[in-house]
Structures are given as C-alpha cells and as structure tokens.
Amino acid sequence: MTKVRKQKRQKKYRYHVNRKKLSSRRRKLPNIGCSQVKNAWELNKTAQQNLKDMGLVYDVNKSLKIPSAKELLKPVLEVTDVSEKQPKRLPRKEHVAKELEIDAKAPRVKKFRLPNNQVQWLTYLMDKYDEDYKAMERDPKNYYQETWRQIRHKINRFKSIPEQYNKYLESRNKCDV
C-alpha cells in the first residue's frame, strides 16, 4: 500500500522549476577562487579529470586513506609487486600544483587591526594609568568589567600592531611637545 503512495508522490510535476535554467546551471563552470586552477580548467572535462590532470586530488579521503582498526590488525602482505606493475601517470599540467605550492609557502602580510572604539579605549587607559593594569580594571569606563590580565593582553596586542601603535605614539609625542 505504501509503495503505491510513494510512486504517486514522485510523479507530481514541479511547476515552479525552470528546466532551461537547470540545464544551463549544470553546464556552467564551477566557482573557482584560485586563479591558477581557473586558468588551467577545461570545460569539456569533469572536475575529477581536470584535477587529476593538474596533479591535484579530488577526494582526499581516497588518496590519504586512514586505516581502520580492523585493517591494522590484518597481516600485511607485500604490496611492492602490485605497485611495480602499474606505472604512475604524470600529470599533464603539473605546473599548477607547483604554482599552488609556491603560493602557499609565500609569506603573508598580517592585516589584523583592532576596532577604532577599542583603540580609543585602550589609548585612554594607557594615557591615564600608564602601566597600572589593576587601576585600569577599576576604571569606570571598563564597561565590560574586564580583568587586569584581559586588559594587559589587549594592550600588548595593540602594541604588536605597528600601524595603529605608531599612530598613537605620534599623537602622544605631539601632545608632549
């Protein structure tokens, strides 16, 4: 009885679905953020074929398989004979993988900045109390009731951002002169 109901449910026509748009979306290039992969991508191939040609892996779980406990307990047979028979095919577009590796190893510029309202609060505390963190903790402007260690950590982080801290030091020097 339930089988008939399921079959009827499947035969309903979906009026709200545009078939032309669906087919064009299937043919469309996937959103690729990496420029190296995007330039080497071929439209007439599948994602797996494209990545294999570039020397990349489509499914990491298949390439770096983690053995289960059951597989670890099995006696290990010599697999060297099987691997010698199958020659590994070199990727045609191996330059893509090399470019990605070079890009990953390149040093990055830190873009971390504190919000302006937090910078203003920290500079206010530093101007008023200098390095007395216990007094900063008791300040009436400590709305979030942060401990002296939390405030010290935030001030040290502020000092580690040269772009913002140098600006503060310059403004402080102008006031002193």
Side-chain angles (χ1 to χ4, degrees), residues 25-161:
R25 282 183 187 160
R26 283 191 193 121
R27 278 185 260 123
K28 203 161 103 177
L29 178 71
N31 292 335
I32 301 170
C34 180
S35 60
Q36 293 96 337
V37 175
K38 196 171 195 173
N39 293 336
W41 197 269
E42 291 181 28
L43 292 172
N44 58 348
K45 291 186 177 181
T46 64
Q48 286 178 329
Q49 290 171 340
N50 271 310
L51 292 174
K52 190 174 183 181
D53 285 347
M54 293 177 210
L56 303 174
V57 179
Y58 182 76
D59 189 5
V60 181
N61 295 325
K62 288 182 181 176
S63 64
L64 300 173
K65 192 171 185 180
I66 299 170
S68 64
K70 197 173 190 179
E71 291 171 350
L72 289 172
L73 292 173
K74 287 183 183 177
V76 181
L77 300 173
E78 294 207 19
V79 188
T80 54
D81 301 331
V82 177
S83 62
E84 290 173 4
K85 292 177 184 176
Q86 298 174 349
K88 288 194 175 182
R89 198 181 109 215
L90 293 172
R92 291 187 311 134
K93 301 175 186 176
E94 62 186 49
H95 66 279
V96 176
K98 289 178 183 175
E99 287 174 16
L100 287 171
E101 196 172 317
I102 291 167
D103 187 40
K105 289 181 181 178
R108 300 280 186 251
V109 178
K110 290 183 180 178
K111 295 182 180 179
F112 179 76
R113 290 179 58 116
L114 290 172
N116 288 336
N117 59 351
Q118 198 169 42
V119 170
Q120 288 174 346
W121 179 64
L122 291 173
T123 55
Y124 158 78
L125 291 175
M126 290 167 64
D127 288 340
K128 190 169 181 181
Y129 301 107
D130 197 35
E131 299 257 334
D132 188 7
Y133 301 111
K134 300 259 183 179
M136 290 179 191
E137 179 185 21
R138 293 187 303 271
D139 189 83
K141 283 194 176 180
N142 186 4
Y143 301 127
Y144 298 110
Q145 298 181 353
E146 293 174 346
T147 63
W148 66 270
R149 288 185 179 180
Q150 289 172 323
I151 294 170
R152 183 182 65 185
H153 177 72
K154 285 187 178 182
I155 289 175
N156 288 339
R157 179 172 283 164
F158 171 63
K159 288 179 179 179
S160 71
I161 304 169

